[in-house]
Amino acid sequence: MLSVTHRVSPNADAVAAEVIDGEAIIIDLATGVYYSMDGVGGSIWALIETESSFEEIVTAIVARYEVSRNQAETDVQEFVAELLREKLVVVSEQQSAARADPKAAPEQKLPYVAPKLITYRDMGDLLALDPPVPGLQDIPWKTAAE
Amino acid sequence: MTSRPAAAFSAVQAGFERAKAVHPDGLSQSCVSLAGEIARLRVVGRDLSTHITRPWAHLIAPESTSEAPRLRIDLWDAEESRVPLPPGLASDRIGETGAVTSSRDGRFLVHETRYCITVLDRREERLVGSFEAGSRLPLEERARPLNLPLTVWCSDRDIQLVHSGLVARNGLGVLLPGLPEAGKSTAAVACAHAGFDFLGDDCVALRLSADGTFVGHSLYGSTTLARSQMARFSLISRAIRRRHTRSLAFLDQASSVQLIRAAPISLIALPRIVDSTDSRARPATKGDALLRLAPSSLLKRAVPAQHCLSRMATLVDRVPSFWLDLDGELLEIPRRVERLLAEAA
């Protein structure tokens, strides 16, 4: 169970992810399974990308959506647990001061729908039948600075 | 101590020079434009040269081009030249899918399959390779030669190879992304059959211009449709060169089919198979477009995944996306794409 100080971040070694128009698209590069989440789920992922703590995630969701704190805590717990089961995120215990939410809360809160992770296994099935060439994942790439 | 990949590059390069010396009549040289960059290609072996260059017939640059080649490719046919691969290079890791090995510093990339070994020097932009026999190249290599090392080379130049078809009408490029068997190849070939310019049905290159527009580049002028699908395109069926469960055709040999090298991307049309459809243009969300474009463009590909995904996200953010419904009416596909282009304008 997540505590308020647990920080959640993407499993950067295993996934590639983008948030576009509030929808998060995540691809597990090892298994070929890919995911999408929009609405509240997309908002949670955007916060995860900034390595927010559980407390910060819940606070931001309550500020943005019409949801009670108790409900938000329950749903975020369950959602992050699902992301952990799918190995899309990692959790760390980092003691640091709470950061102010850089985005101003909307004047009018948005309707709340519980976050939902949509899973696509078609490419994963194809990968299982026809795996990638060994060694592809080990190719070094230049960084943007280089 | 020289790494194995570096030693492999030296050995394969030396093998090419020896093949060139003992079989000078078998040497051919050409320049091709790959995603807007000039590559100089030298091949020892007539069959090998024929098959390697065939999908690039529409990309051949004039011999007199003053532009210095960005990439230099040297290949030789071990059987025709009777110069075997240097001993000790065969890896015990080669299975059905081949194997990739990088030097620790990332400079050299070795790709080994059952029928060839290629080594890419990423710093000097040189690609050397030895093929067991040009006359026995498998269908996939004839359709999209050197695909893996060229994917890496393109990625190093910030050129993204995507799993998508690409056609153009009046200079406006239409990207047709999709998972395997989604209908993108069929849609691309159907459009080419109807007079669209053809740039690719499965693998195309994307470059981001300085002004923020995306330009799609043709990499291969080939298509490998299922035999049943190919039979429905009369103009193209005459260009079939290999028949198996999938047929290989080179579209520059199909009458009335025009191949071009590049076009700015104006529309993303997402093929999806439906039972029936009407003529309405249905916009797709950016998320839908990214879900159709990204997974098969990243998985099993030699690409920097996060960077490529970010670049694709920029593409779908800037270019409108629509659903392209496919209900089995091949003649309707190009008409629907025309309507989508009008809608996107």
Side-chain angles (χ1 to χ4, degrees):
Chain A
M1 184 140 169
L2 290 175
S3 74
V4 295
T5 55
H6 273 129
R7 291 205 172 275
V8 189
S9 57
N11 184 1
D13 289 340
V15 306
E18 280 290 324
V19 178
I20 186 164
D21 272 5
E23 181 174 4
I25 308 293
I26 305 160
I27 301 174
D28 186 321
L29 302 171
T31 64
V33 181
Y34 55 103
Y35 311 80
S36 70
M37 57 191 91
D38 60 4
V40 175
S43 298
I44 293 174
W45 184 266
L47 291 161
I48 288 173
E49 285 193 332
T50 63
E51 298 186 21
S52 298
S53 69
F54 173 74
E55 173 71 19
E56 288 164 347
I57 294 173
V58 171
T59 299
I61 294 301
V62 170
R64 191 168 184 192
Y65 295 95
E66 291 174 356
V67 61
S68 69
R69 189 164 191 90
N70 279 349
Q71 186 64 52
E73 283 181 358
T74 301
D75 289 349
V76 171
Q77 279 280 1
E78 287 180 7
F79 191 63
V80 173
E82 187 175 12
L83 298 179
L84 275 167
R85 282 194 298 274
E86 296 290 324
K87 298 186 174 61
L88 302 181
V89 298
V90 294
V91 172
S92 62
E93 184 80 52
Q94 284 188 5
Q95 301 294 332
S96 59
R99 294 173 293 189
D101 186 350
K103 293 183 185 172
E107 290 183 6
Q108 187 172 358
K109 293 188 180 182
L110 301 170
Y112 179 80
V113 176
K116 182 176 166 58
L117 181 68
I118 301 174
T119 304
Y120 304 86
R121 300 192 186 277
D122 44 9
M123 282 299 296
D125 293 341
L126 285 174
L127 242 64
L129 286 172
D130 184 17
V133 175
L136 274 187
Q137 302 296 335
D138 301 323
I139 298 175
W141 299 101
K142 294 178 187 174
T143 62
E146 290 170 331
Chain B
M1 184 167 92
T2 305
S3 68
R4 181 180 175 275
F9 181 88
S10 299
V12 177
Q13 182 184 20
F16 171 81
E17 294 298 333
R18 191 156 63 252
K20 187 159 65 81
V22 304
H23 190 39
D25 291 343
L27 174 67
S28 62
Q29 179 167 323
S30 55
C31 289
V32 293
S33 174
L34 298 176
E37 306 281 357
I38 295 294
R40 185 202 68 193
L41 177 63
R42 297 189 299 178
V43 183
V44 178
R46 294 185 191 86
D47 279 343
L48 183 63
S49 176
T50 296
H51 293 311
I52 289 290
T53 59
R54 193 64 196 82
W56 292 333
H58 64 305
L59 302 176
I60 296 292
E63 288 279 349
S64 58
T65 180
S66 59
E67 193 176 338
R70 184 77 70 178
L71 175 66
R72 288 167 288 165
I73 304 173
D74 292 328
L75 309 172
W76 95 87
D77 184 329
E79 185 173 271
E80 183 177 322
S81 67
R82 299 187 183 181
V83 174
L85 191 67
L89 286 187
S91 167
D92 57 9
R93 290 199 302 144
I94 299 178
E96 274 298 313
T97 55
V100 166
T101 311
S102 288
S103 57
R104 190 174 300 214
D105 61 358
R107 175 176 171 180
F108 294 99
L109 182 95
V110 182
H111 180 217
E112 301 168 83
T113 69
R114 288 173 287 110
Y115 57 89
C116 79
I117 177 170
T118 60
V119 191
L120 175 65
D121 181 340
R122 298 165 74 180
R123 191 175 74 190
E124 297 298 318
E125 299 188 82
R126 291 197 63 182
L127 175 62
V128 295
S130 172
F131 287 76
E132 186 183 57
S135 60
R136 294 195 297 275
L137 280 186
L139 186 138
E140 179 57 33
E141 192 70 37
R142 294 183 191 223
R144 286 175 280 277
L146 305 173
N147 191 255
L148 193 148
L150 288 181
T151 300
V152 174
W153 175 73
C154 284
S155 294
D156 286 344
R157 303 205 63 75
D158 204 17
I159 301 167
Q160 281 74 47
L161 297 202
V162 292
H163 188 210
S164 177
L166 178 59
V167 297
R169 179 69 113 187
N170 299 324
L172 301 176
V174 181
L175 207 59
L176 298 158
L179 296 179
E181 309 304 324
K184 57 184 178 303
S185 296
T186 300
V189 173
C191 287
H193 204 260
F196 278 65
D197 294 325
F198 180 85
L199 293 96
D201 75 327
D202 181 86
C203 178
V204 295
L206 293 182
R207 298 192 76 159
L208 179 59
S209 303
D211 64 359
T213 58
F214 280 86
V215 179
H217 290 262
S218 177
L219 274 182
Y220 303 108
S222 55
T223 181
T224 54
L225 286 179
R227 287 180 68 182
S228 57
Q229 288 287 60
M230 195 75 83
R232 302 172 77 179
F233 298 109
S234 59
L235 293 179
I236 293 163
S237 61
R238 297 178 204 126
I240 293 174
R241 285 298 167 264
R242 283 283 290 271
R243 297 174 194 275
H244 203 255
T245 51
R246 299 185 77 80
S247 289
L248 169 63
F250 299 105
L251 295 198
D252 64 308
Q253 289 188 322
S255 55
S256 306
V257 174
Q258 179 75 21
L259 275 70
I260 63 172
R261 294 183 178 185
I265 307 297
S266 303
L267 169 71
I268 302 171
L270 310 178
R272 66 178 175 183
I273 297 172
V274 298
D275 290 331
S276 63
T277 186
D278 54 38
S279 60
R280 282 180 295 171
R282 292 178 173 77
T285 66
K286 296 173 187 179
D288 287 332
L290 196 57
L291 279 169
R292 296 294 181 291
L293 177 63
S296 56
S297 295
L298 299 184
L299 297 166
K300 292 182 62 174
R301 308 279 168 158
V303 297
Q306 182 59 60
H307 177 71
C308 287
L309 181 60
S310 299
R311 184 56 60 83
M312 284 185 269
T314 303
L315 168 72
V316 304
D317 189 47
R318 293 181 185 174
V319 178
S321 301
F322 288 83
W323 291 105
L324 174 63
D325 291 337
L326 307 179
D327 57 0
E329 297 292 331
L330 288 182
L331 290 179
E332 281 302 310
I333 295 174
R335 291 180 195 138
R336 287 173 191 156
V337 175
E338 295 260 23
R339 283 197 288 269
L340 295 182
L341 274 171
E343 189 75 27

